[in-house]
Amino acid sequence: MKYDITVIGSGPGGYVAAIRCAQLGMKVAIVEKYSTLGGTCLNVGCIPSKALLDSSEHYHNAEHTFKEHGIDIPAPKVNFTQMIARKGEVVKQNVEGIAYLMKKNKIDVFTGHGSFVNKNTIKVSGEKEEEISTDKVILATGSKPTSLPFIEIDKKRVITSTEALVMKEVPKHLVIIGGGVIGLELGSVYARLGSEVSVVEYFDRIIPGMDGTMSKELTKSLKKLGMKIYTKHKVTEVKSTAKTVTVKADTPKGEVLELKGDYCLVSVGRRAYTDKLGLENVGIKTDKAGRIETDDHLRTSVDNIYAIGDVVKGAMLAHKAEEEGVFVAETIAGQKPHINYNLIPGVVYTWPEVAGVGQTEEQLKEAGRAYKVGSFPYKALGRARASMDTDGLVKVLADKNTDEILGLHIIGARAADMIASGVTAMEFRASAEDVSRMSHAHPTYMEAVKEACLAATDNRPIHM
């Protein structure tokens, strides 16, 4: 059968692209090498990690806050087997949902490894080998965890995020290399469940890509949880035995830090996954980071082949891939969509959560932009006191002269949900005063955004 579009990869970018193409009247095929749809995000990334984050937070609250709430229960115990099983069920429901959406939108699913024979023919190598004829192709093959050259990931003691989601036991001491989003989220899970957790970060702060204030505040919260954080430490050696792992790192003082644990999570980033795609058969080259180069319309050097998500430049985020999937589908259909990459939010699902969109204060300083800051602490919120979630703050960055909001950064309860308000405001180029004059329900966490905007507008917050 001849298809208008063939999508290789069924993660958030791929399946969303396929659905939007089908909605626009195209005949669509999607190729997925694994037996379930959804890619890294649904199977071994965003969704299962959030399931474990929620389960571990429930346990942590039962252990530490129930008594103050007036809830007396016997000492809670971790049933880790059930926790992992629940996570698996959450994943199952989500991937089955994607399979349903493929059927609903009359998208043909091919299971196997997709590769180019030529620019209009895709070979699918699965239980059987078959070829697909197609007018256009969208590459959405995602990314894989990366490592350091001297580290051997044995997937038993030295592990990646994939193995950290299917462990058989709660680690006694989990050593994490990398203080980014993935490492801190999984570190939070196991710290809540009783593990000793040590995070070794090369840069001078954790979550180095986010606003510095967020990094500082999250460091405080994670240390309250009992996590040990070593910044400005360069890992030099990782050795494992049948039951232990030893990590050595150079300290800022020129000394050697030695950490011994039972597991080591390597969380130093991800790389574009383009292995065995047959790119050489169509003349597509990758850059030094292995990413596929595209133009402003996400078209590759071959006019009928597009690439989206983690295999192209930009943040490796599921929602960024989704936006690009829609963008390419609508571009192919002759529409004129747009993506404002400055307004793709970033989120860390620790507790408190961290979320940011737009420019960080560091970026504004580097650009020489005149700006003003308004912030408001969670501890001054009635809603936060009621839920005992007083860690955190909202930080608004606005243009010093026009008051236009340039960045919104939140650390606190429900920051992940709240950041959409910043995206909306900035998409319509709202000023801090615009937001401060909008009614915000009381009591809510969102009142902190209004108060921070009041602080940014004319330093006039009401409740501080």
Side-chain angles (χ1 to χ4, degrees):
M1 185 180 288
K2 176 80 182 285
Y3 292 92
D4 298 317
I5 300 286
T6 297
V7 181
I8 302 180
S10 71
Y15 82 73
V16 168
I19 290 171
R20 187 68 185 117
C21 285
Q23 289 175 340
L24 291 165
M26 302 174 212
K27 179 62 179 171
V28 184
I30 191 165
V31 181
E32 172 54 55
K33 67 179 289 189
Y34 294 109
S35 59
T36 57
L37 301 174
T40 294
C41 177
L42 271 70
N43 289 277
V44 292
C46 322
I47 299 303
S49 62
K50 302 313 162 284
L52 289 181
L53 280 159
D54 274 346
S55 293
S56 61
E57 182 65 10
H58 283 309
Y59 171 77
H60 182 77
N61 284 332
E63 192 174 35
H64 295 283
T65 68
F66 273 22
K67 188 177 181 72
E68 192 167 344
H69 277 289
I71 305 169
D72 291 330
I73 59 171
K77 296 179 181 178
V78 176
N79 182 342
F80 195 57
T81 301
Q82 170 57 25
M83 199 173 282
I84 294 293
R86 189 194 83 90
K87 181 265 304 177
E89 184 59 31
V90 170
V91 169
K92 180 173 176 286
Q93 291 170 7
N94 277 274
V95 298
E96 286 177 350
I98 303 303
Y100 162 76
L101 290 173
M102 297 301 101
K103 290 179 183 177
K104 177 189 173 187
N105 289 282
K106 297 181 173 57
I107 297 165
D108 292 340
V109 177
F110 292 82
T111 303
H113 186 94
S115 61
F116 286 102
V117 175
N118 56 54
K119 72 175 191 174
N120 295 111
T121 308
I122 303 299
K123 180 173 71 175
V124 181
S125 304
E127 289 186 3
K128 60 179 179 177
E129 194 167 287
E130 51 192 322
E131 291 189 351
I132 301 171
S133 295
T134 187
D135 184 31
K136 291 181 171 63
V137 179
I138 301 173
L139 296 173
T141 48
S143 61
K144 293 283 186 182
T146 189
S147 184
L148 297 173
F150 55 87
I151 297 177
E152 181 185 349
I153 295 174
D154 60 19
K155 299 187 178 182
K156 295 176 182 176
R157 292 292 165 183
V158 183
I159 62 175
T160 70
S161 56
T162 301
E163 294 78 47
L165 293 167
V166 290
M167 296 180 78
K168 304 295 185 186
E169 61 182 355
V170 176
K172 295 180 181 66
H173 183 192
L174 175 63
V175 180
I176 300 174
I177 301 174
V181 178
I182 297 170
L184 297 182
E185 287 183 356
L186 291 171
S188 294
V189 168
Y190 291 108
R192 293 168 189 160
L193 298 180
S195 300
E196 179 184 351
V197 176
S198 301
V199 178
V200 185
E201 169 57 46
Y202 178 75
F203 289 105
D204 61 354
R205 59 187 178 93
I206 58 172
I207 51 171
M210 301 190 82
D211 187 272
T213 301
M214 302 298 105
S215 173
K216 181 180 177 182
E217 294 299 318
L218 183 59
T219 298
K220 291 179 189 174
S221 293
L222 294 180
K223 285 183 176 179
K224 282 185 190 176
L225 190 59
M227 291 173 64
K228 295 175 182 175
I229 297 173
Y230 302 92
T231 55
K232 294 194 282 189
H233 280 60
K234 180 182 178 182
V235 174
T236 57
E237 185 180 289
V238 177
K239 287 190 175 179
S240 62
T241 65
K243 293 186 178 181
T244 64
V245 181
T246 302
V247 176
K248 291 183 179 179
D250 292 339
T251 74
K253 295 180 179 179
E255 299 168 347
V256 175
L257 171 72
E258 183 174 292
L259 297 169
K260 291 189 176 181
D262 47 346
Y263 293 93
C264 173
L265 168 60
V266 180
S267 181
V268 294
R270 300 179 66 84
R271 64 170 181 87
Y273 180 69
T274 56
D275 299 5
K276 299 179 182 177
L277 273 178
L279 297 180
E280 66 281 1
N281 296 335
V282 290
I284 292 177
K285 295 180 180 179
T286 57
D287 65 15
K288 291 179 181 178
R291 299 170 301 193
I292 296 171
E293 295 180 349
T294 63
D295 62 16
D296 291 342
H297 299 289
L298 295 171
R299 185 188 285 112
T300 69
S301 57
V302 182
D303 62 359
N304 71 315
I305 301 173
Y306 296 77
I308 63 173
D310 289 3
V311 293
V312 300
K313 67 180 180 181
M316 289 184 170
L317 298 169
H319 45 284
K320 179 256 198 184
E322 290 178 344
E323 296 301 323
E324 290 180 334
V326 171
F327 178 91
V328 165
E330 293 179 352
T331 298
I332 291 170
Q335 298 181 11
K336 298 189 181 298
H338 88 286
I339 298 176
N340 185 343
Y341 284 99
N342 182 50
L343 299 185
I344 303 289
V347 180
V348 188
Y349 292 88
T350 47
W351 198 263
E353 294 173 335
V354 185
V357 67
Q359 299 291 290
T360 66
E361 188 166 3
E362 290 75 19
Q363 288 171 327
L364 292 175
K365 283 180 179 177
E366 187 178 346
R369 184 80 178 262
Y371 67 95
K372 50 187 178 174
V373 182
S375 64
F376 191 81
Y378 263 55
K379 64 185 178 184
L381 277 180
R383 181 69 185 88
R385 293 193 195 107
S387 65
M388 291 175 61
D389 291 306
T390 53
D391 278 4
L393 58 85
V394 173
K395 177 178 179 178
V396 173
L397 300 167
D399 186 276
K400 189 174 182 179
N401 300 311
T402 67
D403 198 39
E404 180 182 351
I405 298 173
L406 304 175
L408 176 65
H409 306 280
I410 307 170
I411 175 167
R414 303 302 167 205
D417 303 292
M418 293 162 62
I419 201 62
S421 67
V423 178
T424 303
M426 294 170 67
E427 191 70 70
F428 288 93
R429 301 196 66 174
S431 67
E433 185 172 8
D434 286 334
V435 173
S436 73
R437 291 191 178 277
M438 296 175 188
S439 179
H440 287 61
H442 174 76
T444 58
Y445 300 116
M446 275 299 301
E447 287 178 286
V449 174
K450 176 173 181 169
E451 293 274 5
C453 285
L454 280 166
T457 301
D458 194 25
N459 195 24
R460 52 189 178 92
I462 301 298
H463 293 92
M464 185 176 68

